[in-house]
Amino acid sequence: MPVPTRIPSMSLKKLQVSMAVSEEANNVAIIFGVTGLVGREIAKSLISSGSSWKVYGIARNPEIQPIITMKSCNPYHFISCDLLNPLETHKKLSLLHDVTHVFWVTWASQFPLDSQETCEHNKTMMSNALNTIITVAKNLKHVSLQTGTKHYISLQPPFEQHQKLHYYHEESPRITSKIPNFYYALEDFLMEKLNGKVTWSVHRPGLLLGNSTRTFYNFMGSLCVYGTFCKHFKIPFIFGGTRKCWEEPYIDGSDSRLVAEQHIWAATKQATDCCRKGEAFNAINGSSFTWKEIWPILGKKFGAYVPEEEEEMVCEGFWYCREMGDEKKKKVWEEIVEKHGLVRTKMEDLANWGFLDALFRFPMKLLVSRDKVDGFGFVKRCNTLNCILYWIDCMRDQKLIPRL
C-alpha cells in the first residue's frame, strides 16, 4: 500500500489535481483542528485504517510534527486556513465537494473562556466553515462536534451549587447564568443549521491526555516540561494545589485516542441511526483517579526527586506560574532542547502553567457518567495513569522531551 505524500499547505491548483486523479474513497473526512490533541488522533486513525478514507486536515498553523507515518495507507492533505476569515475559508473549502464526515475539534482561544467574544469567535468559525461545506458537499453524512465537560458548570462564582458529589449526565440542564458558554452556541448552531438533514453528535471529554504542540490547555506538555525541569534542577517533584484536589477525585481523564475513537464510532456506526437531531456523549476514560495515587509514580517516571513524606510533596503555596513561568526558565528550556537534540520548541509551545495552577486548585468536582455511551455500545475504557505514562513515552519517542 502506498504511503501518501504530506502536503504542508496545499495550493488550490494542487488540490484540484489531487481530487481529479485520486481514487474515489468511500468516506472523506475533514478535520477542523487537526493539529490538536484529538484532531491528530482522528487523522492518524483514519489514514491508517483498513477502510477506505480520504482525509483533509484543517488548521491555521502548520504542524510541527508530521501526522503521516509509515503505517499510513489512505491519502491525507493538510490545508492551512484561518477560519475567522470568511473569504479565505470559502476559497479553500469550496473545492472539497467530496466530504462525507466533518470532525469539529477546534476552538478560538484568543479571549477568556467565559466571554462573549469567545462565543462570537467560535460561532463565526463554525459558520464560515459549515456554510461552505454544507453547500458543496452533497454527500455529507455526519458532523461530529467536540466540546467538553465544562458544559455542565460555570467557572465563575458562586460555586456552592457544585460542591456536592454529583455525576453529570448528558441530559443535565444547562447552567442558567449570564456567563456565556460557547459550547451552547455551537450546539445551537448545529441544531439550527442541520435541522434533521444530517446526523450529528457532540462529544464532551474531561481532562484531555495526548501529545500536541498546538494545544492551549496542554496538560501532558505542561506536566512533561515540569518533570524535565525538576530533574534538571534537582528539585522536588511537588504537587502545587489544594489538599482536596490531591486527595479526592475531582476530574475525569480522557485519553485522546479514546475520544478520537468515540468520534469515529458515532460518525460511522449504528449510533448514527439515532443522531438525526443530534446526540451528546460524555467521552471519558471510565476509571476515577486521585493525584495522590499517581503523583509519586509520575515523578519517578521523570527521574525526579519524589519526597517520601506526603507533607513535603503537597504545597498549596507552590504556584507553577510563579515558579516555572519566568524568562530564565524559557532560556533553560532552549538549552535543554539543544543539549538533547530535541525537536525545536519554545517552552510555551508545550507548557501552560496557568492551566496547571487552575487544574490543581479546581473549586468543584467535575465528574461525569459514561452510562449513555456504554448503553449505545461504545465500551472502550482506559486507565488514566497508564495513559499518562504512555504519553510521556510518546513525547520522548518524538523527541519533545529528553529521555532519562
Side-chain angles (χ1 to χ4, degrees):
M1 289 181 292
V3 177
T5 302
R6 175 179 177 269
I7 304 176
S9 185
M10 180 176 280
S11 69
L12 296 180
K13 185 175 181 180
K14 287 182 178 179
L15 182 56
Q16 289 172 318
V17 172
S18 169
M19 294 181 64
V21 302
S22 65
E23 181 181 352
E24 190 72 21
N26 293 333
N27 296 301
V28 180
I30 184 167
I31 305 169
F32 294 96
V34 73
T35 57
L37 296 173
V38 175
R40 285 179 58 83
E41 296 308 310
I42 295 175
K44 285 162 59 178
S45 178
L46 294 181
I47 62 179
S48 62
S49 169
S51 304
S52 179
W53 279 93
K54 178 178 176 182
V55 181
Y56 299 113
I58 311 295
R60 184 176 57 180
N61 296 312
E63 311 151 314
I64 291 179
Q65 303 165 275
I67 290 175
I68 287 181
T69 68
M70 291 305 295
K71 295 181 181 180
S72 303
C73 55
N74 289 321
Y76 169 67
H77 309 297
F78 176 79
I79 302 172
S80 176
C81 183
D82 180 2
L83 297 175
L84 285 169
N85 184 323
L87 296 178
E88 178 185 349
T89 301
H90 179 74
K91 182 178 180 181
K92 292 186 174 180
L93 302 187
S94 60
L95 296 172
L96 310 185
H97 53 78
D98 53 350
V99 168
T100 59
H101 295 79
V102 171
F103 297 94
W104 190 271
V105 288
T106 187
W107 70 289
S109 59
Q110 293 93 327
F111 295 96
L113 200 58
D114 291 332
S115 68
Q116 188 60 41
E117 291 87 353
T118 293
C119 273
E120 292 170 357
H121 268 216
N122 282 277
K123 186 175 179 179
T124 297
M125 286 169 58
M126 177 176 276
S127 176
N128 289 342
L130 290 192
N131 282 343
T132 297
I133 290 295
I134 291 173
T135 301
V136 302
K138 300 305 182 182
N139 294 318
L140 183 62
K141 299 175 183 177
H142 191 86
V143 176
S144 188
L145 165 66
Q146 180 171 301
T147 58
T149 55
K150 187 188 169 296
H151 177 95
Y152 304 112
I153 63 167
S154 171
L155 295 181
Q156 302 297 324
F159 303 120
E160 287 76 12
Q161 60 178 317
H162 305 296
Q163 291 302 321
K164 291 181 66 176
L165 179 59
H166 180 77
Y167 291 90
Y168 296 96
H169 57 82
E170 290 83 351
E171 281 68 46
S172 295
R174 290 182 175 183
I175 297 298
T176 54
S177 168
K178 293 182 180 180
I179 305 298
N181 187 327
F182 79 88
Y183 294 171
Y184 302 166
L186 296 186
E187 287 191 21
D188 292 345
F189 178 83
L190 288 184
M191 176 69 77
E192 177 185 352
K193 194 71 180 176
L194 302 182
N195 194 27
K197 300 174 184 176
V198 177
T199 65
W200 58 285
S201 57
V202 184
H203 303 270
R204 300 170 182 164
L207 177 63
L208 277 170
L209 310 172
N211 177 20
S212 170
T213 56
R214 299 293 190 199
T215 297
F216 187 67
Y217 293 121
N218 190 343
F219 171 71
M220 285 306 309
S222 304
L223 179 73
C224 286
V225 174
Y226 175 59
T228 301
F229 277 156
C230 287
K231 184 175 187 296
H232 179 83
F233 290 112
K234 297 180 173 58
I235 57 177
F237 189 69
I238 289 174
F239 177 87
T242 64
R243 180 67 63 169
K244 275 196 169 185
C245 280
W246 169 257
E247 294 179 344
E248 302 175 20
Y250 251 70
I251 194 168
D252 293 298
S254 297
D255 190 279
S256 57
R257 295 166 297 171
L258 177 146
V259 180
E261 190 172 325
Q262 183 172 307
H263 273 281
I264 297 168
W265 164 82
T268 59
K269 304 299 182 184
Q270 66 274 15
T272 57
D273 296 338
C274 59
C275 291
R276 183 63 57 183
K277 294 183 179 180
E279 202 71 57
F281 299 103
N282 292 330
I284 61 170
N285 287 345
S287 58
S288 62
F289 72 98
T290 67
W291 297 114
K292 180 178 180 177
E293 294 169 342
I294 70 176
W295 195 258
I297 300 172
L298 301 181
K300 292 175 183 177
K301 179 75 171 178
F302 291 115
Y305 167 63
V306 179
E308 293 185 6
E309 299 297 327
E310 184 178 316
E311 289 71 20
E312 299 177 11
M313 201 182 310
V314 184
C315 180
E316 294 197 21
F318 183 95
W319 292 80
Y320 294 93
C321 273
R322 183 181 63 207
E323 302 295 336
M324 298 289 143
D326 56 77
E327 292 299 320
K328 177 183 176 183
K329 296 294 192 305
K330 292 180 181 180
K331 293 180 180 178
V332 171
W333 181 253
E334 292 175 0
E335 294 170 3
I336 291 173
V337 167
E338 183 70 27
K339 176 182 177 181
H340 294 275
L342 305 179
V343 173
R344 291 201 173 274
T345 57
K346 297 178 181 179
M347 185 178 74
E348 54 269 32
D349 290 333
L350 296 173
N352 182 335
W353 304 122
F355 177 48
L356 281 193
D357 284 330
L359 177 67
F360 295 155
R361 290 172 173 81
F362 214 59
M364 69 205 79
K365 294 179 185 291
L366 183 49
L367 302 170
V368 303
S369 166
R370 55 167 294 155
D371 288 348
K372 181 178 179 180
V373 76
D374 285 341
F376 273 75
F378 183 79
V379 295
K380 180 181 178 67
R381 290 172 178 257
C382 295
N383 176 278
T384 296
L385 172 60
N386 291 342
C387 292
I388 295 175
L389 297 177
Y390 167 85
W391 288 112
I392 293 172
D393 287 337
C394 282
M395 293 186 70
R396 285 175 174 160
D397 291 342
Q398 295 179 16
K399 293 189 174 182
L400 289 171
I401 59 172
R403 295 187 180 275
L404 288 180

